[in-house]
Amino acid sequence: MKKLFTWSMVIMLSFALTGCGCEHDYDEGKITKKATCTEEGIKTITCKLCGEEKTETVPLAKHTYDNGKVTKKATCTVEGEKTLTCKICDNEKVKTIKIKDHDYEEKVTKEATFEEEGIKTFTCKNCGDSYTESIPVRDDKIVLTVEDKINYERDTSAWRFTPFVELVCKIENMTDKDIKGIEGELIVNDMFGKQIITLGWDITENDIPAHGFITQTDYGLEINEFIDTHKKLYNTNYDALEFEYKVKQIIYTDGTTESP
């Protein structure tokens, strides 16, 4: 009887030391406590055979940041900053906002002539940074300058049956020969450089002496009130217009021609 008791104790101790004797087959586990960005979570894993459970630590979750708030504006000289705040724990992190581009304003600070280059200066409106570019020496053979714009209303007594725009022009001959006629076109832009209209603009009434000029009047455009570009030309002040003359052909008084 004593021997039987001894063997029973041995078997019980063996079970105590080795557990239930199951070769555990644990499942994938279940999150029994969610991790946050401030506290670790817990995952409980259960044996599919005997139901024994054990736990594992779930690492801290990542912060959940908002879209951020600009706490320092970027300029064209200094980087800015955006502060992002975690929606859970109010943890903050800072992101850099890259330096902004310069906002340059262009100005001709020295006009180009036929002998010297000009200078164009670009200045940042925000920080004053500036740089310059050269303007090539002019090589125009013809220089047409619109010196005035005059609007005329319809006046049948003056044989004017539609409104009329007169452009008073100075035409300079930069060549060494007298000019008999010029074929070209006049491009009219608004102050933003957007084209309003292009006009065929031939100069044939008077010879232009070499290195001399003439003034052209009574040239212009009869305004068709149903055409938007005509109305815009008529209604825009002279000071708000820009003009560009493109030469197609020059006829000299000696009979020779040239197409620049």
Side-chain angles (χ1 to χ4, degrees), residues 169-187:
C169 301
K170 178 182 179 182
I171 302 101
E172 298 177 76
N173 176 3
M174 310 307 296
T175 74
D176 297 324
K177 298 193 292 184
D178 294 349
I179 292 175
K180 184 177 182 179
I182 304 168
E183 178 189 8
E185 60 183 17
L186 181 66
I187 301 168

Side-chain angles (χ1 to χ4, degrees), residues 37-38 63-66 83-93:
C37 50
T38 57
H63 293 291
T64 306
Y65 290 105
D66 59 17
T83 300
L84 289 77
T85 305
C86 178
K87 299 175 185 177
I88 307 301
C89 69
D90 294 331
N91 177 270
E92 291 183 344
K93 69 175 180 179

